[in-house]
Amino acid sequence: LADLPVCAGDSDCDGMPDAWEIAHGLNPFFAGDALLDPDGDGLTNLQEFLLGTDPRKADTDGDGWSDGAEVAAGFNPLDPSDHRPVFTASNPADGGPGLVRISSTLGAPSCAVRWKQVGGPPVKLAGADGATPSFVARAAGKYELEGVATCGGVAAPPVRVAAVVRNVPPRP
């Protein structure tokens, strides 16, 4: 008869240290618990140990996605902000009075974008619910806008842009 393997710090040699099993309510003398999924997130206890997730919480980072769904989709089950959309915009070039267009990009499909003016002489925004708002600047000044993108109920951090309009005659 061959001797059973000895795994230092892991009495049942299931790949999960005894201290981790005890801390998470598992049995350090039952190797079969490595294959169980008590929180129903699609990850075994061994996978939870290897990933650093909590085998008693289906959504360790609390972002609304189960740990198993995040891993399957290539996200990090320990990062609650990895599903946030990436929303960027650049300041338009300084110019004279006239039409000012803002250009932005959104790194996620099917999202809603909303812009509002947060500074400068008041203007009426055209396309405030899209990626490329515009307005007519009739006076010199610094016009500031803020945009927010929301995708699937998750909002990106607000983006601010400023358009500087100089006191020069409008172009024909």
Side-chain angles (χ1 to χ4, degrees):
L1 282 173
D3 290 333
L4 291 175
V6 176
C7 304
D10 182 4
S11 298
D12 56 10
C13 293
D14 62 0
M16 300 180 297
D18 293 347
W20 188 87
E21 288 195 62
I22 292 167
H24 292 92
L26 303 176
N27 183 345
F29 300 104
F30 173 57
D33 62 3
L35 302 177
L36 300 178
D37 180 14
D39 60 7
D41 64 1
L43 298 176
T44 66
N45 287 324
L46 179 58
Q47 289 172 314
E48 301 258 18
F49 166 69
L50 295 171
L51 291 166
T53 55
D54 187 334
R56 297 285 179 200
K57 285 183 165 179
D59 180 12
T60 299
D61 61 11
D63 63 1
W65 288 61
S66 74
D67 295 342
E70 287 201 76
V71 170
F75 291 104
N76 181 350
L78 299 173
D79 182 357
S81 65
D82 63 349
H83 293 283
R84 286 186 131 183
V86 177
F87 182 47
T88 59
S90 56
N91 294 327
D94 293 0
L99 182 63
V100 176
R101 288 190 181 108
I102 305 299
S103 177
S104 64
T105 57
L106 186 57
S110 305
C111 299
V113 178
R114 185 75 183 136
W115 289 90
K116 66 180 179 181
Q117 184 177 11
V118 293
V123 294
K124 181 177 178 181
L125 284 178
D129 58 352
T132 56
S134 62
F135 60 92
V136 176
R138 300 192 189 285
K142 183 177 180 180
Y143 297 80
E144 295 176 282
L145 304 178
E146 182 177 271
V148 175
T150 305
C151 306
V154 178
V159 170
R160 282 191 173 218
V161 295
V164 176
V165 175
R166 297 181 311 235
N167 191 14
V168 295
R171 292 177 292 212

